[in-house]
Amino acid sequence: MTSFSLPLHPLTSYGWDEAWADEFAPYDAEGLLAGRVIRVDRGQCDVVTADGVMRADTAFVTPNDPMRVVCTGDWVAVEPAGNPRYVRTYLPRRTAFVRSTSSKRSEGQILAANVDYAVVAVSLAVELELGRVERFLALAWESGARPVVVLTKADLVPDPATLGHLVEDVETTAPGVPVLAVSASNGEGLDVLEAVLSGGTTVLLGQSGAGKSTLANALLGEDVMEVQAARDVDGKGRHTTTTRNLLALPGGGVLIDTPGLRGVGLWDAETGVGQVFAEIEELAKHCRFHDCAHVAEPGCAVLAALDSGTLPERRLDSYRKLLRENQRIVAKTDARLRSEIRKDWKRKGAEGRAAMEAKRGRW
C-alpha cells in the first residue's frame, strides 16, 4: 500500500487529508489512483492525481439516479491505465450542493461536492434582491458548507455610508453569515476574502452577471475564467462559465466556479431554510401551539413580533414562500418513490404470475 506523507503529498493542495487517505485505502490496495474531479463534461471528467491531470470515463458510476453521478469536487478512484481510462467509484461525500432540476420534476441536480465554503456572489450594480440571497443561502446551509455573502462590484457604490447600509441590509438577511463588500477591479476587500477562504474548498454561486468569473480571476491572480459584460438594462449577463471548474488558489485552497444560475430550486432544504430564518425559528419555539402555522393562531409569537415591528413582513413572507416550495419538492419526491415502489411491485407480481404459468405448463 502506498504510504502518504500528507505535507508532501501532491494532492494536499487540492484538499487531500488523512481522512480521505483512510477512505481510499481499500482502492489503493487494488492499485487504483486517487484523484479529485476538476471538471465533468458529457460522461467524461478531468481528474487531478499524483501523476498529473487525467481524462477518464464515468460510465462505471453513471446510474439512472442523477444524485449519484460524478461531479466536480468528488474524490474518485481511477484506473492507472487504459484507453479509455475509467473512474471506478467516488468516495462518500462530506458535503453536496443539490438543487431541483425543474419545478416540474422531482429530481435533484448535484452542483458540487466536498465544499467547505459557499460564496454567494451578489452584484451591487443592480438593486439588491434579498429574497434571492435567502434562497442561495438556504441551498448553501443545506449542503453542509459555510456560506459567505460577497457583494461584488463595490467600487460602483463610492459612498461609504451607502455601502455600509447595503451591507447591513444583507447582514439582517443572512444572520450568522459573513458579508463582505469586494471590488475585483480595485482589490477592495479581496485580502479579507482570501483569508476567509484559505485552506478549504470554495464554490462560487450566483446569478449570471453577478461578477463571479471576475471575482474568480482576482482570487486566482490571473485571467483564467472568461468574462463578459453584463447588460446595462438589468445588470444580468450571459452564462460566461458553462461548466464547473475546480482550480487551485495561489494562497491555498481550491475554487469551484459554477455557471450563473438563473433558477435556483430548493431540494429538500428544510434545515437550510430554518438556518436562514433562524430568528423566526427561535420565535416559533415560544408559540402557544407547537404546530403553529403563524397565520392567525392565538398566542403566536411570530405574529406578535410582526405586529410589534421587530420582524419585517418581507422576512416572514420569504420564509413562508421557501417553506411552501420545499414542501412541494418533498411531496413530489415522495410521490415519485411511491410510484417506483408500485412499479416494482407490479413487475414482481407479473414475474410471479409468469412463473406460476410456467409451472402449470410443465404439469
Side-chain angles (χ1 to χ4, degrees):
M1 183 182 297
T2 303
S3 176
F4 294 106
S5 178
L6 292 176
L8 302 176
H9 193 273
L11 293 177
T12 299
S13 61
Y14 284 90
W16 186 260
D17 57 27
E18 290 184 5
W20 287 123
D22 290 341
E23 288 279 2
F24 189 76
Y27 307 106
D28 184 37
E30 294 179 23
L32 298 175
L33 293 176
R36 193 164 196 192
V37 177
I38 59 176
R39 176 188 170 99
V40 177
D41 182 25
R42 299 178 183 178
Q44 293 190 315
C45 63
D46 293 333
V47 182
V48 59
T49 72
D51 295 337
V53 177
M54 301 176 176
R55 188 74 167 166
D57 196 298
T58 63
F60 275 130
V61 280
T62 306
N64 293 329
D65 186 353
M67 299 281 283
R68 296 172 58 197
V69 299
V70 171
C71 74
T72 303
D74 272 329
W75 285 99
V76 295
V78 187
E79 293 177 343
N83 188 19
R85 188 191 309 265
Y86 286 97
V87 172
R88 288 290 186 87
T89 189
Y90 62 82
L91 301 185
R93 293 162 176 158
R94 294 178 182 174
T95 63
F97 277 84
V98 184
R99 68 164 179 174
S100 60
T101 53
S102 166
S103 59
K104 297 181 180 180
R105 300 173 64 184
S106 57
E107 294 180 344
Q109 177 189 16
I110 296 284
L111 297 179
N114 303 312
V115 174
D116 301 298
Y117 304 101
V119 168
V120 178
V122 181
S123 173
L124 291 177
V126 293
E127 185 177 352
L128 287 175
E129 293 185 53
L130 297 178
R132 187 170 293 276
V133 175
E134 289 160 344
R135 179 179 291 274
F136 273 109
L137 287 173
L139 179 74
W141 278 122
E142 189 66 31
S143 75
R146 286 166 282 182
V148 179
V149 177
V150 172
L151 304 180
T152 65
K153 308 179 185 181
D155 54 291
L156 298 181
V157 187
D159 179 44
T162 302
L163 183 59
H165 288 311
L166 291 171
V167 171
E168 288 176 7
D169 286 344
V170 178
E171 285 176 338
T172 302
T173 301
V177 176
V179 179
L180 306 175
V182 173
S183 170
S185 62
N186 64 21
E188 177 186 351
L190 274 177
D191 54 343
V192 178
L193 180 59
E194 288 171 348
V196 170
L197 306 181
S198 64
T201 297
T202 299
V203 65
L204 281 179
L205 302 170
Q207 281 187 287
S208 302
K212 294 189 296 85
S213 294
T214 303
L215 180 61
N217 286 336
L219 291 171
L220 292 163
E222 55 183 318
D223 292 339
V224 175
M225 311 306 298
E226 182 184 355
V227 177
Q228 292 179 349
R231 298 193 299 253
D232 291 335
V233 63
D234 57 8
K236 294 181 180 179
R238 302 175 202 166
H239 292 307
T240 305
T241 304
T242 56
T243 58
R244 296 167 189 88
N245 303 281
L246 186 148
L247 302 160
L249 293 170
V254 293
L255 179 72
I256 300 175
D257 190 18
T258 65
L261 302 174
R262 290 197 175 98
V264 188
L266 300 183
W267 175 259
D268 198 4
E270 183 177 354
T271 300
V273 173
Q275 286 180 277
V276 175
F277 299 92
E279 81 279 26
I280 298 179
E281 296 272 308
E282 183 60 32
L283 285 168
K285 295 177 182 178
H286 303 285
C287 291
R288 181 181 299 177
F289 304 106
H290 75 276
D291 58 348
C292 183
H294 321 307
V295 177
E297 296 85 349
C300 175
V302 173
L303 294 180
L306 188 67
D307 291 338
S308 69
T310 56
L311 175 64
E313 187 172 358
R314 189 208 65 78
R315 284 282 283 173
L316 182 57
D317 288 343
S318 184
Y319 175 67
R320 288 168 171 165
K321 178 181 179 181
L322 292 182
L323 277 184
R324 285 196 300 269
E325 177 184 327
N326 190 68
Q327 288 166 355
R328 285 197 297 270
I329 288 293
V330 172
K332 285 182 180 180
T333 305
D334 289 344
R336 181 167 68 98
L337 290 174
R338 286 195 296 271
S339 175
E340 290 175 353
I341 291 171
R342 283 197 295 270
K343 288 179 181 178
D344 189 54
W345 284 347
K346 288 180 180 179
R347 179 183 60 79
K348 289 179 178 178
E351 290 173 352
R353 287 192 296 273
M356 289 299 295
E357 291 295 333
K359 284 185 178 180
R360 291 193 183 101
R362 288 196 297 269
W363 293 343

